[in-house]
Each structure stands twice: as structure tokens, then as C-alpha cells.
């Protein structure tokens, strides 16, 4: 029982990080029906920005989080503006290739600057707490707390604010949104910024939890989060979070009972299985109207 | 000058096809202008040009005396041009209230940080937007449906909602693209009374594309007739009705308009 609770905390930690990244994939898909394949690399850069920042000025965790999120948000809008927007009306394949290309450029630039994996310095003190025999670290509390906080903020933003309404409306009819006086391009740019900021936050948190930062983590972790978004129903925010926690739990449970080399086999098999029965993902719905 | 909108030699080509050619019209403040013509006459293209969906190939569009051709649709909308569509284009998965609030809020965009921090400014705006939108919905007897998904409304209610949403922009000019599409004659006559009421209540200028002849004749102060993107006639409803070129465009031969 204690063992199970311990594993549940681990699953929660991994799931929260997947969720933050998955939201970025899902938000962009929601407004543009496009997979932002560079998103995993924005996540990776989140970790590297943090390394860079700490190397320059030793800042506390909270400040690092804010700076990293601002930097990745800026990066996200730049990618949208200069790589994706010019191709908005281009064939879908061109947009996919551009996104993949963008990811590879980011990844290889990072690789050029930092060919080897780097250790992430400690940002939080190493406190642990005991709850009835279950150990939880300060780091885990922060990761889960920050992630949940960001997710709740996003949920509020999407459901309750005029920005959120516009974002949801763009998903169904972008031209109509413009005809109502809303600059759709600005809403799309902000969507990218928010998605990228969440990805950057995830990169920082991931770097703290598994403290080896490398240029390839955008692929290994980013793609998992993409899988999570698809399992949940891409374009649906709550689906992305659900998918991420399912994936996180499956991975943690797999590693608990099987050699860790089985982890990806099991998680990708799960993706295939879910999609066979729910082709639009767990909470996804087929699009009714696209203009 | 009482002209609210004016087009000067407006032309739009699609490849070799000239959808609108050398079209010069003006819309006076406060009037209802009917635009009729057979299918493919370029009526909807005209609306697409006026709202900035695509730019004209040549020619000018003046709104309140200022050129608007080439502006983005959102900029033209903010200057006071609102529009409805022949095929209803509501945000089906949003609520009725949200559909109206989107249009209302476009005037008072609140930045995400502002909204997220729930600043007093943001909260005030939100309240204002909800109250104003609800007031409009009540006026159109849609208040009780405010929390329903727009896509779940009946056809008639969706038509009304689309007009409410356009009105939430506080437009000076309302472009209606076949509002009576899919209605039977008695529903169309009800819509006629309804539009006349809206026109007066909101002191609007309206341009109306409609195939429903009785309705156009009853509502319009003036009528312009297009065929193959060119203006072939124009004038008071009675003048247009008897114009042989109009009858020919519609029926191909001599005959009476329905």
C-alpha cells in the first residue's frame, strides 16, 4: 500500500510534466489544426535557458521559472510568426515539414553549442517529508504544485476570459472571429506564447527532477507528451491533462514491475490500443464544422 | 454627404472570372438597400469585398468617407461593419452568451495577464460584457437560452442569434446575406417585420441580399440589381420590378417577377 502510494506520487510528478507539454501541442492544434513538432524542442530549451540563466546569475527557483517561461513564450511567438504564419495557406505537408525542420534547427543549434548532456544544478533545498511512511520531496511538491497551478490558470483563462472565448471560437471558424473585430493572428500568437511558456516551465521542472539536460530530450520527452495529447483527444485541454496522467502512471507502473526498457513499448502500445477504440482520443470529438 | 458606404469601380477577378466588375454603388445612412440578382451574380463576393475577406483587384471602397479596401477584416469590423451569413456561422460549441460576448468584447480587449490576475479592471469589464450581452439576448427573447450551446438551438433561434451577435459589435452598417434562406413564406414575412424593427431600434443602415422577392420589395428603400458581377439596374422597388432587364436576367425571357 505504501509502495503504491509512493509510486502514485512518482506518477503524479511525471504526469504533471507531460501534461504541461501536452497542453502546448493541444492548444496549437486547437487553433490551427496543426501539430507543432518544434514544441518538444521548446521544452528542451526551457531546461537550457535555465542552465544559462543560473550560469550568468544565481537566481532563486521562482525567478528562474518566470524568466524561463518569458523566454520560451517569446521563442514560441517568433516560431509562429516567422516559420508557421507564412505557410498558413500552404499545403498541410509543407507546414508539417516546416515544423519538423524548426524542431531540428533548434535541436542541432543546441547540440552545436552544448554537444554533451549537462547536469542541472540544484535549485531547491533537498528537503523530504514523511506522510505515514510515504516519502515526498520538496522537489516533488514544487513540481506537482507548480504544474497544477499553471493548469488551473490555463483552464480559467480558456473557460472564463474573452481571450479564451476567442481562442475556442478560432478553433471552429477563424474567419468569422476576424469578422467580429478580433485580430485572429494576435490570438494565435498569444496561444503559441502560452503553449511555449508551459513547455518551457516543463523543461525547467523536468531538468530539476531528472537532472541531466541534453539536446535530445525534446524528442524523448516531447514525443511522449504528444502521445499524451493524442490519447486525451488533441485539441481538448482537459483531454491533454488526462492523457498525460494516464501515460505517466502507465510508465511508472511499467517500470515498477518490468525492466525499464519495456517502458516505451508499453506506452506506445497503449496509444495504439486507445486510438483503435477511440480514434479521436478519450475526450476528443470529430470536428463538426470547419470553414 | 449622406453616403455611409461607397464603392468606386470596384472589381474582383478570380483567375479569368470577373466576379465583380466596375461596380459603383453608394449606400445612404439609415436606408435599407436590397441587392438582388440571379445565382452567381456576385452578391456574396460583394459582401466579401466589403468586409475585407479578400481585397479588390481594383477600385475603391469608402466607409464614412475613408478608404477601407485592403484593411484586415477585424479592422473593418471595428469601424462598424457587421455581417451575417447565408449558411449560419455561429460558434456552435460555445454557449449562446459566449457567442454574443465575443463580439461585444472585441471592442474592449482585455489582455490575458489582466484577465488572469482578475484585476478590478478585468472584473468590471467582464461584468459589463455579460450585462450588455444579456440585455441584447433578452431583447431578442434568447435570454433563457443563454447557457445553451449555440449549436443546440433551433434553426430560427440560430438565425436570430447570428443577428444578435452582429449587433453586439454595435455596427453602423449591417450586411445580411440571405437571412430568409430556408424559411417558408410566412416565416419570411415574420422576419421582414423583425428586420424592420431591428433597423429602427438600432438606427442601422442595412444592405440585404435576398432571393425572397416579397421580402426585398417590402423592406428595401432602394434596390440594386447585379448580373454577372455588373450592375444592370437600380432604383425604387417598383421601378426595379418593372425593369425589362431585370426580368430578363431572372427569367431569361419576358415575364413577371414572382
Amino acid at each position: 500500500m505504501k509502495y503504491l502510494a509512493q509510486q502514485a506520487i512518482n506518477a503524479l510528478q511525471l504526469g504533471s510534466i507531460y501534461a504541461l507539454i501536452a497542453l502546448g501541442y493541444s492548444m496549437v492544434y486547437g487553433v490551427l489544426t496543426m501539430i507543432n513538432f518544434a514544441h518538444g524542442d521548446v521544452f528542451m530549451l526551457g531546461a537550457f535557458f535555465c542552465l544559462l540563466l543560473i550560469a550568468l546569475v544565481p537566481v532563486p527557483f521562482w525567478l528562474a521559472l518566470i524568466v524561463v517561461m518569458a523566454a520560451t513564450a517569446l521563442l514560441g511567438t517568433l516560431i509562429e510568426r516567422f516559420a508557421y504564419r507564412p505557410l498558413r495557406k500552404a499545403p498541410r505537408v509543407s507546414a508539417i515539414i516546416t515544423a519538423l525542420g524548426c524542431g531540428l534547427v533548434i535541436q542541432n543549434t543546441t547540440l552545436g553549442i552544448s554537444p554533451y548532456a549537462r547536469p542541472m544544478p540544484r535549485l531547491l533545498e533537498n528537503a523530504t517529508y514523511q506522510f505515514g511512511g510515504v516519502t515526498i520531496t520538496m522537489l516533488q511538491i514544487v513540481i506537482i504544485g507548480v504544474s497544477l497551478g499553471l493548469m488551473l490558470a490555463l483552464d480559467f483563462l480558456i473557460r472564463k476570459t474573452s481571450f479564451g472565448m476567442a481562442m475556442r471560437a478560432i478553433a471552429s471558424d477563424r474567419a468569422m472571429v476576424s469578422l467580429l473585430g478580433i485580430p485572429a493572428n494576435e490570438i494565435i500568437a498569444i496561444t503559441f506564447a502560452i503553449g511555449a511558456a508551459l513547455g518551457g516551465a516543463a523543461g525547467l521542472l523536468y531538468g530539476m527532477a531528472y537532472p541531466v539536460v541534453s539536446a535530445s530530450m525534446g524528442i524523448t520527452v516531447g514525443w511522449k507528451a504528444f502521445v499524451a495529447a493524442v490519447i486525451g483527444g488533441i485539441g481538448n485541454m482537459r483531454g491533454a491533462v488526462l492523457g498525460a496522467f494516464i501515460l505517466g502512471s502507465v510508465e511508472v507502473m511499467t517500470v515498477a514491475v518490468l525492466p525499464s526498457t519495456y517502458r516505451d513499448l508499453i506506452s506506445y502500445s497503449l496509444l495504439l490500443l486507445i486510438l483503435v477504440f477511440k480514434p479521436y482520443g478519450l475526450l476528443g470529438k470529430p470536428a463538426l464544422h470547419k470553414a | 454627404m449622406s453616403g455611409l458606404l461607397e464603392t468606386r469601380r470596384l472589381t474582383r477577378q478570380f483567375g479569368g472570372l470577373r466576379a465583380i466588375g466596375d461596380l459603383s454603388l453608394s449606400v445612404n445612412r439609415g436606408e435599407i438597400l436590397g441587392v438582388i440578382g440571379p445565382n452567381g451574380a456576385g452578391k456574396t463576393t460583394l459582401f466579401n469585398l466589403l468586409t475585407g475577406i479578400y481585397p479588390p483587384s481594383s477600385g475603391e471602397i469608402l466607409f464614412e468617407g475613408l478608404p477601407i479596401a485592403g484593411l484586415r477584416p477585424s479592422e473593418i469590423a471595428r469601424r462598424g461593419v457587421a455581417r451575417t451569413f447565408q449558411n449560419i456561422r455561429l460558434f456552435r460549441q460555445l454557449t449562446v452568451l459566449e457567442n454574443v460576448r465575443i463580439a461585444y468584447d472585441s471592442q474592449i480587449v482585455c489582455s490575458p495577464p489582466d484577465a488572469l490576475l482578475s484585476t478590478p479592471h478585468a472584473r468590471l469589464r467582464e461584468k459589463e460584457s455579460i450585462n450588455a450581452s444579456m440585455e441584447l439576448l433578452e431583447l431578442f427573447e434568447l435570454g433563457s437560452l443563454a447557457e445553451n450551446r449555440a449549436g443546440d438551438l433551433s434553426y430560427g433561434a440560430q438565425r436570430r442569434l447570428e443577428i444578435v451577435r452582429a449587433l453586439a459589435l454595435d455596427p453602423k452598417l449591417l450586411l445580411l446575406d440571405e437571412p430568409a434562406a430556408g424559411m417558408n413564406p410566412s416565416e419570411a414575412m415574420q422576419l421582414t417585420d423583425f428586420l424592420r424593427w431591428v433597423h429602427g431600434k438600432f438606427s442601422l443602415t442595412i444592405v440585404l441580399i435576398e432571393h425572397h422577392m416579397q421580402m426585398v420589395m417590402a423592406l428595401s428603400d432602394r434596390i440594386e440589381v447585379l448580373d454577372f458581377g455588373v450592375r444592370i439596374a437600380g432604383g425604387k422597388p417598383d421601378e426595379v420590378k418593372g425593369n425589362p432587364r431585370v426580368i430578363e436576367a431572372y427569367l431569361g425571357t419576358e415575364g413577371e417577377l414572382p
Side-chain angles (χ1 to χ4, degrees), chain B residues 10-164:
Chain B
L10 191 63
T11 300
R12 174 69 204 197
Q13 303 262 150
F14 291 104
L17 177 79
R18 177 176 265 222
I20 291 281
D22 273 338
L23 186 66
S24 300
L25 348 138
S26 72
V27 185
N28 299 322
R29 240 176 245 279
E31 78 175 339
I32 298 183
L33 176 72
V35 176
I36 62 171
N39 284 324
K43 304 180 298 290
T44 300
T45 303
L46 174 64
F47 274 14
N48 286 340
L49 291 169
L50 296 180
T51 49
I53 297 278
Y54 30 71
S57 307
S58 65
E60 278 183 273
I61 306 171
L62 302 177
F63 183 67
E64 301 193 292
L66 300 171
I68 56 166
L71 291 185
R72 294 192 298 172
S74 58
E75 291 166 326
I76 294 176
R78 281 179 188 217
R79 289 186 185 208
V81 181
R83 162 179 192 182
T84 66
F85 284 83
Q86 182 184 348
N87 51 331
I88 302 173
R89 281 172 73 174
L90 291 169
F91 305 117
R92 301 174 56 88
Q93 80 289 17
L94 270 59
T95 67
V96 169
L97 178 60
E98 285 174 335
N99 267 278
V100 181
R101 281 191 61 197
I102 280 193
Y104 186 84
D105 287 2
S106 70
Q107 328 262 345
I108 46 154
V109 174
C110 196
S111 73
D114 225 21
L116 204 52
L117 296 173
S118 242
T119 56
H121 171 75
R123 261 178 295 171
L124 191 71
R125 288 299 196 204
E126 189 188 349
K127 213 179 210 174
E128 219 177 273
S129 139
I130 292 175
N131 290 344
S133 305
M134 277 311 292
E135 211 172 288
L136 262 183
L137 285 170
E138 303 279 358
L139 194 61
F140 287 83
E141 287 160 20
L142 289 166
S144 58
L145 299 169
E147 295 304 325
N148 289 49
R149 266 170 28 105
D152 294 341
L153 262 52
S154 70
Y155 183 79
Q158 291 196 14
R159 279 258 170 242
R160 252 182 302 155
L161 178 57
E162 211 189 16
I163 292 172
V164 177

Side-chain angles (χ1 to χ4, degrees), chain A residues 55-140:
Chain A
L56 294 173
V57 266
V59 292
F61 165 75
W62 296 107
L63 197 55
L65 181 69
I66 292 169
V67 173
V68 164
M69 286 181 74
T72 45
L74 181 65
L75 181 72
T77 44
L78 290 177
I79 292 174
E80 191 275 326
R81 181 67 191 82
F82 294 106
Y84 299 163
R85 197 181 298 178
L87 285 148
R88 194 93 48 80
K89 288 184 180 137
R92 178 127 318 179
V93 177
S94 312
I96 295 175
I97 295 301
T98 307
L100 283 170
C102 245
L104 286 170
V105 167
I106 295 174
Q107 198 183 318
N108 285 288
T109 308
T110 313
L111 203 60
I113 296 169
S114 170
Y116 307 106
R118 288 167 187 265
M120 177 72 110
R122 187 171 297 154
L123 278 170
L124 293 167
E125 53 181 300
N126 219 351
T128 56
Y129 306 90
Q130 298 282 336
F131 294 100
V134 180
T135 310
I136 184 161
T137 65
M138 175 69 155
L139 183 64
Q140 287 174 317

Side-chain angles (χ1 to χ4, degrees), chain A residues 153 156-157 159-163 165-166 168-169 172-173 175-183 185 190 289 291, chain B residues 51 53 72-74 77-78 83 85 89 91 93-94 98 101-103 105-106 110 112 115-116 118 126 165 169:
Chain A
F156 172 79
L157 199 63
R159 267 161 214 285
K160 294 282 176 214
T161 67
S162 34
F163 164 77
M165 282 188 285
R168 282 179 287 139
S172 77
D173 192 341
M176 192 64 230
V177 170
S178 305
L179 287 169
L180 293 175
I182 298 161
N185 276 337
I190 297 173
H289 169 84
Chain B
T51 49
I53 297 278
R72 294 192 298 172
S74 58
R78 281 179 188 217
R83 162 179 192 182
F85 284 83
R89 281 172 73 174
F91 305 117
Q93 80 289 17
L94 270 59
E98 285 174 335
R101 281 191 61 197
I102 280 193
D105 287 2
S106 70
C110 196
L116 204 52
S118 242
E126 189 188 349
R165 185 178 65 178
L169 270 175

